[in-house]
Amino acid sequence: MKKRRVLVVDDSSTIRKIIQHSLHQANLNVGDILEASNGREALGMVQRFTFDLILTDIDMPLMDGLELLEALAYVRSAQGTPVVVITKHTSEEGVLRAMEAGAKAYIRKPFTVKDLSEKIEPLLMEKLQAAEK
């Protein structure tokens, strides 16, 4: 089975490293993990590479996670790529806005490896099955 390529988008390098470490601990067959510090940087990466999963924060400078979600709808290579929002926002409105913008799942910070695995594994399996069709 090929290793999965993941994009982690967060303005905190510490959080990006924690997510990266958690992805490896969760045994999700993740290979390349690329990082972006804001939505604009992430959008540039999505235009150059194909990803199996995108994990993004909401509150970031230059282009936030909601703006990134909206922009991804227009990027052909991102079609079908699940996006998971990982954020400290806890309001129902924040969750609803992210889901309406295209997020497939929502994880609140702080999170555990189990939280990450439970939300991400089904999305990766769904993407794999869609690719095999």
Side-chain angles (χ1 to χ4, degrees):
M1 179 185 292
K2 88 174 185 77
K3 296 277 186 180
R4 297 165 172 143
R5 181 182 288 155
V6 176
L7 176 59
V8 177
V9 188
D10 198 297
D11 57 324
S12 166
S13 62
T14 302
I15 296 296
R16 290 193 310 266
K17 295 297 179 207
I18 289 169
I19 293 170
Q20 189 174 58
H21 180 72
S22 298
L23 286 169
H24 287 300
Q25 280 190 313
N27 295 319
L28 296 171
N29 199 33
V30 173
D32 293 337
I33 300 175
L34 282 70
E35 299 180 16
S37 61
N38 60 64
R40 189 177 294 166
E41 189 179 318
L43 196 54
M45 295 178 90
V46 168
Q47 291 168 337
R48 289 191 318 253
F49 304 102
T50 343
F51 292 95
D52 296 297
L53 177 72
I54 299 171
L55 302 167
T56 185
D57 188 14
I58 290 180
D59 290 327
M60 296 178 289
L62 302 178
M63 178 187 273
D64 68 26
L66 293 174
E67 293 168 322
L68 173 62
L69 279 163
E70 291 166 0
L72 288 172
Y74 299 100
V75 179
R76 185 178 180 107
S77 62
Q79 302 302 310
T81 303
V83 179
V84 176
V85 173
I86 300 179
T87 186
K88 65 181 182 252
H89 284 285
T90 56
S91 73
E92 278 187 43
E93 181 185 339
V95 173
L96 184 60
R97 286 182 63 207
M99 300 308 266
E100 285 174 348
K104 296 292 183 193
Y106 192 94
I107 300 171
R108 288 189 174 92
K109 295 176 189 172
F111 59 87
T112 64
V113 172
K114 183 180 177 192
D115 295 333
L116 205 65
S117 181
E118 286 176 352
K119 296 283 182 160
I120 291 172
E121 190 169 22
L123 295 172
L124 289 171
M125 292 307 295
E126 186 179 300
K127 182 157 174 40
L128 180 65
Q129 289 170 350
E132 290 175 351
K133 288 182 180 178

